[in-house]
Amino acid sequence: AQSVTQPDIHITVSEGASLELRCNYSYGATPYLFWYVQSPGQGLQLLLKYFSGDTLVQGIKGFEAEFKRSQSSFNLRKPSVHWSDAAEYFCAVGPREVQNFVFGPGTRLSVLP
Amino acid sequence: DTAVSQTPKYLVTQMGNDKSIKCEQNLGHDTMYWYKQDSKKFLKIMFSYNNKELIINETVPNRFSPKSPDKAHLNLHINSLELGDSAVYFCASRGLGAGELFFGEGSRLTVL
């Protein structure tokens, strides 16, 4: 069965600092990988996704993520964090079949002024 | 035009009552989901329907009954509400060929 881990429950960074959120997955084949963001009181918004091809993917709001098959990782990065990036971030894995899209436990990002 | 819309956004009710949450998507997707997000923000899949057919039914009390009248709608009915049912319930849809999930804004259920 597939699973997703996000080792960091809560990360605090200063505004303008760089950010990396970790995601590791367990899946038997190459999965579809996603990062979502949830602002307080809101639904989930897709930041970026990886299906195949270039392992460095660009997303919205200046985020990028790199798929590393050897490490079963899909870490999210941003070179300079803005105060509005404070939110909950979820990594997710979805198989090529339509069923069973699995989310990690989430990482809460706080941004210091 | 909201792609995935849920109503109501907030429900506050007493233990033992029955409540329903409605979801509609206008994306033409074949698959719809219900997720439960608990107070620790953990997202757990509850049900999935593909073209009105139930395909995922996780370990959920049978007080929860999904209904899909057509592939654009997936409703969630909850009988005999309990305190532990308090959560945010998200509806989502996904297109054929396994694209990303599109989420509604969530329905916050509070059981008193």
Side-chain angles (χ1 to χ4, degrees):
Chain A
Q2 69 248 30
S3 65
V4 179
T5 56
Q6 294 178 246
D8 305 304
I9 297 173
H10 184 201
I11 285 182
T12 300
V13 299
S14 297
E15 191 169 18
S18 64
L19 172 70
E20 182 170 31
L21 301 181
R22 297 182 290 165
C23 172
N24 292 95
Y25 68 90
S26 172
Y27 187 64
T30 301
Y32 290 172
L33 294 159
F34 307 83
W35 275 100
Y36 282 83
V37 60
Q38 183 182 24
S39 297
Q42 302 294 311
L44 282 80
Q45 180 184 22
L46 181 72
L47 284 176
L48 47 77
K49 59 190 177 186
Y50 172 78
F51 287 174
S52 64
D54 192 347
T55 55
L56 184 64
V57 292
Q58 302 297 320
I60 62 171
K61 305 184 181 186
F63 285 92
E64 66 177 26
E66 186 171 13
F67 170 56
K68 292 186 177 180
R69 183 189 305 272
S70 61
Q71 298 176 19
S72 297
S73 69
F74 189 55
N75 294 347
L76 182 72
R77 300 193 293 249
K78 186 170 184 177
S80 178
V81 170
H82 187 263
W83 63 266
S84 60
D85 293 324
E88 193 85 22
Y89 290 80
F90 294 93
C91 182
V93 58
R96 293 176 185 269
E97 303 78 33
V98 181
Q99 299 87 339
N100 213 359
F101 205 91
V102 176
F103 285 84
T107 297
R108 182 159 64 96
L109 174 66
S110 297
V111 181
L112 299 175
Chain B
D1 250 0
T2 304
V4 182
S5 58
Q6 299 178 226
T7 53
K9 191 165 182 175
Y10 299 97
L11 304 93
V12 181
T13 189
Q14 301 286 333
M15 279 177 57
N17 285 349
D18 302 340
K19 286 293 177 186
S20 292
I21 307 171
K22 295 185 176 182
C23 178
E24 176 181 4
Q25 55 97 2
N26 62 8
L27 298 167
H29 288 166
D30 290 317
T31 306
M32 296 184 71
Y33 302 78
W34 279 110
Y35 279 84
K36 179 181 180 180
Q37 186 175 49
D38 61 23
S39 57
K40 294 185 178 179
K41 302 291 186 183
F42 188 72
L43 278 159
K44 185 179 181 338
I45 190 168
M46 300 175 69
F47 302 104
S48 176
Y49 271 74
N50 183 263
N51 206 10
K52 300 194 299 175
E53 183 183 343
L54 181 66
I55 55 171
I56 294 175
N57 185 357
E58 291 294 311
T59 308
V60 175
N62 58 14
R63 298 182 294 104
F64 290 79
S65 52
K67 281 191 173 52
S68 181
D70 55 62
K71 74 173 194 176
H73 295 84
L74 180 61
N75 304 323
L76 183 66
H77 187 75
I78 316 169
N79 290 324
S80 304
L81 279 157
E82 300 177 358
L83 292 176
D85 298 332
S86 295
V88 181
Y89 293 85
F90 284 101
C91 178
S93 71
R94 193 179 190 194
L96 194 63
E100 65 267 31
L101 286 180
F102 290 80
F103 282 86
E105 291 192 343
S107 297
R108 180 176 293 276
L109 171 64
T110 302
V111 182
L112 303 175

